[in-house]
């Protein structure tokens, strides 16, 4: 668990960003990229929760899920890429941190360094987006998802996680009308969101 004051500060930031009360700036992108570049060498051993219960449960009970490529936004060291690959034929791992992506080399063959606020993906071209403890960029996710696409929103630590957003807030932030199938598993929570 991150220290409470750190988790609280990140949670407020994540909520304000998702709701459009705070802009995403180059300075914030540079800060987070640098932070995660520094953490990358020790991420799996000292920082990662390793808790895959919410993702496993979402993949099992959140369907039907499309058998199509999945864009994993905020993939980090690729801890969850193999689990996603058990459901989706291709997983494209995207992260802001170059060093995190280097650590993911053995877990994800397709890695892209990019800022999630400007995804390098064509409109309506992705059938599945997975975000695991990630900031929400609702306009970009809605833009790249196909009309029948799904968003997997995973919080490994549930309400205690530093980037926690409840499914209702995620649905409200996404442009248009969305419905969520949601549950809890282990310490975390998950939602699979689709356009209504």
């Amino acid at each position: 668990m991150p220290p409470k004051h750190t988790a609280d500060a990140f949670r407020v930031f994540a909520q304000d960003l998702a709701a459009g009360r705070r802009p995403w700036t180059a300075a914030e992108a540079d800060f987070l990229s640098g932070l995660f570049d520094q953490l990358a060498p020790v991420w799996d051993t000292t920082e990662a929760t390793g808790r895959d219960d919410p993702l496993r449960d979402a993949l099992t009970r959140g369907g039907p899920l499309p058998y199509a490529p999945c864009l994993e936004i905020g993939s980090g060291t690729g801890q969850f890429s193999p689990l996603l690959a058990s459901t989706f034929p291709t997983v494209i791992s995207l992260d802001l941190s170059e060093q995190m992506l280097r650590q993911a080399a053995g877990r994800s063959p397709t890695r892209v360094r990019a800022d999630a606020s400007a995804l390098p993906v064509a409109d309506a071209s992705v059938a599945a987006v997975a975000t695991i403890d990630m900031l929400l960029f609702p306009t970009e996710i809605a833009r790249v998802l196909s009309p029948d696409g799904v968003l997997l929103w995973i919080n490994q630590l549930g309400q205690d996680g530093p980037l926690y957003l409840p499914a209702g807030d995620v649905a409200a932030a996404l442009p248009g009308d969305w419905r969520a199938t949601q549950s809890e598993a282990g310490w975390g929570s998950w939602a699979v969101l689709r356009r209504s």
Side-chain angles (χ1 to χ4, degrees):
M1 296 287 288
K4 184 176 182 339
H5 66 281
T6 302
D8 290 346
F10 270 100
R11 199 173 304 112
V12 169
F13 174 78
Q15 291 167 351
D16 287 348
L17 181 68
R21 293 186 296 264
R22 179 185 190 123
W24 178 252
T25 67
E28 288 158 339
D30 289 345
F31 170 77
L32 287 176
S33 175
L35 173 65
F36 285 101
D37 278 350
Q38 288 177 358
L39 292 172
V42 297
W43 183 261
D44 290 351
T45 55
T46 64
E47 302 293 330
T49 69
R51 299 181 187 281
D52 63 6
D53 295 338
L55 178 58
R56 283 188 186 282
D57 199 40
L59 294 174
T60 301
R61 299 191 304 129
L65 300 173
Y67 187 72
C70 173
L71 179 63
E72 181 187 11
I73 301 176
S75 61
T77 62
Q79 279 193 316
F80 301 104
S81 302
L83 185 52
L84 289 167
S86 71
T87 298
F88 302 103
T90 304
V91 176
I92 302 159
S93 301
L94 184 141
D95 202 278
L96 186 60
S97 165
E98 180 178 347
Q99 297 307 315
M100 286 287 204
L101 290 170
R102 286 182 190 274
Q103 295 293 324
R107 295 175 174 152
S108 179
T110 308
R111 299 176 315 282
V112 177
R113 183 174 186 260
D115 187 329
S117 70
L119 294 169
V121 178
D123 294 359
S125 64
V126 178
V129 169
T131 56
I132 302 163
D133 290 334
M134 175 59 191
L135 295 168
L136 177 66
F137 294 94
T139 303
E140 276 298 278
I141 288 173
R143 178 185 69 77
V144 302
L145 270 176
S146 61
D148 58 347
V150 299
L151 167 62
L152 283 80
W153 182 258
I154 311 296
N155 295 288
Q156 293 177 74
L157 299 174
Q159 295 179 13
D160 295 325
L163 299 179
Y164 173 75
L165 281 176
D169 290 1
V170 175
L174 291 163
D177 293 322
W178 294 73
R179 60 184 165 81
T181 301
Q182 61 183 317
S183 190
E184 296 178 353
W187 284 24
S189 61
W190 61 266
V192 176
L193 295 102
R194 297 172 172 82
R195 288 181 173 91
S196 297

